[in-house]
Amino acid sequence: EADIYQTPRYLVIGTGKKITLECSQTMGHDKMYWYQQDPGMELHLIHYSYGVNSTEKGDLSSESTVSRIRTEHFPLTLESARPSHTSQYLCASRPGTGYGETQYFGPGTRLLVL
Amino acid sequence: AQKVTQAQTEISVVEKEDVTLDCVYETRDTTYYLFWYKQPPSGELVFLIRRNSFDEQNEISGRYSWNFQKSTSSFNFTITASQVVDSAVYFCALIENTGNQFYFGTGTSLTVIP
């Protein structure tokens, strides 16, 4: 059973606001990921991290930033929210050892930008 | 180019029917891993199965079975005697041994009608 948490679960916010989506895992996994997904649609990789102080951009990263100061914590920040950011954001983690380990997903944050 | 293709966007079946979800992948690596995930309406992705490229044995887990064929680059998923609780979006994914990114298909939305 994976222990990965995301807060908030739901967020409604106005355009231009700065927001941070939290993701924490208690499994000691080195690798963590952020995906953006419209309901039932494909997943788009935003950012990923191999470990502390290591972050990489995915396909959809230009409007957000991440940090990885602690192994268990991988927050995603939108500096200025826009209606186009309305979506579900999924955080995932996986062990650093081995290449074929699965990702474990959090419950997601559903964001609505007005 | 899309590395993972799920050509079926939506499928509807009547309860107790069998249904097969198709997944075709593309990679030049000789070592890679394939996955299936289930995403129920609650939004969280649930890991179902992992297969490495050296193991072409089909697998059965209860009503679920998977058919991995390297010759056709396919990793199809069959649900036998479908139930309403099987209604979800199912994603196929690939990770190559040389990388850390998961490549997801666009998902197949399965509706099981009672």
Side-chain angles (χ1 to χ4, degrees), chain A residues 31 33 37 50 99-100 102, chain B residues 37 39 47 50 91 97 100:
Chain A
K31 298 176 182 175
Y33 303 78
Q37 184 197 28
Y50 299 139
Y99 291 100
T102 186
Chain B
Y37 293 88
Q39 187 176 39
F47 165 70
R50 177 187 72 173
F91 290 93
N97 205 39
N100 277 295

Side-chain angles (χ1 to χ4, degrees), chain B residues 55-97:
Chain B
D55 184 1
E56 285 194 75
Q57 279 196 336
N58 293 329
E59 182 158 339
I60 298 174
S61 176
R63 296 184 297 107
Y64 295 171
S65 62
W66 291 269
N67 183 1
F68 176 32
Q69 291 195 342
K70 290 177 73 170
S71 60
T72 56
S73 297
S74 65
F75 186 43
N76 296 337
F77 173 30
T78 297
I79 301 174
T80 303
S82 60
Q83 300 176 2
V84 173
V85 293
D86 295 327
S87 296
V89 181
Y90 291 85
F91 290 93
C92 182
L94 161 77
I95 186 168
E96 297 163 326
N97 205 39

Side-chain angles (χ1 to χ4, degrees), chain A residues 9 31 33 35 37 40-43 45 48 50 57 59 88 90 94 99-103 105-107 110, chain B residues 2 33 35 37 39 41-45 47 50 89 91 95-102 104-106:
Chain A
R9 293 293 311 278
K31 298 176 182 175
Y33 303 78
Y35 294 92
Q37 184 197 28
M41 305 296 285
E42 64 186 299
L43 282 74
L45 181 65
Y48 58 102
Y50 299 139
K57 293 183 178 181
D59 302 327
Q88 174 167 250
L90 293 167
R94 60 194 286 256
Y99 291 100
E101 296 291 335
T102 186
Q103 291 180 318
F105 284 85
R110 298 198 182 196
Chain B
Q2 191 77 9
Y33 299 83
F35 302 81
Y37 293 88
Q39 187 176 39
S42 60
E44 184 172 346
L45 267 82
F47 165 70
R50 177 187 72 173
V89 181
F91 290 93
I95 186 168
E96 297 163 326
N97 205 39
T98 53
N100 277 295
Q101 289 191 42
F102 278 68
F104 284 85
T106 51

Side-chain angles (χ1 to χ4, degrees), chain A residues 47-114:
Chain A
H47 294 276
Y48 58 102
S49 168
Y50 299 139
V52 172
N53 294 326
S54 156
T55 61
E56 300 286 341
K57 293 183 178 181
D59 302 327
L60 213 63
S61 63
S62 60
E63 299 173 353
S64 61
T65 59
V66 291
S67 62
R68 190 89 184 275
I69 299 172
R70 304 195 317 264
T71 297
E72 62 271 22
H73 194 213
F74 191 42
L76 173 75
T77 297
L78 294 174
E79 293 293 335
S80 178
R82 297 207 303 265
S84 60
H85 292 139
T86 294
S87 191
Q88 174 167 250
Y89 292 83
L90 293 167
C91 181
S93 72
R94 60 194 286 256
T97 56
Y99 291 100
E101 296 291 335
T102 186
Q103 291 180 318
Y104 296 94
F105 284 85
T109 293
R110 298 198 182 196
L111 174 65
L112 172 62
V113 183
L114 301 175

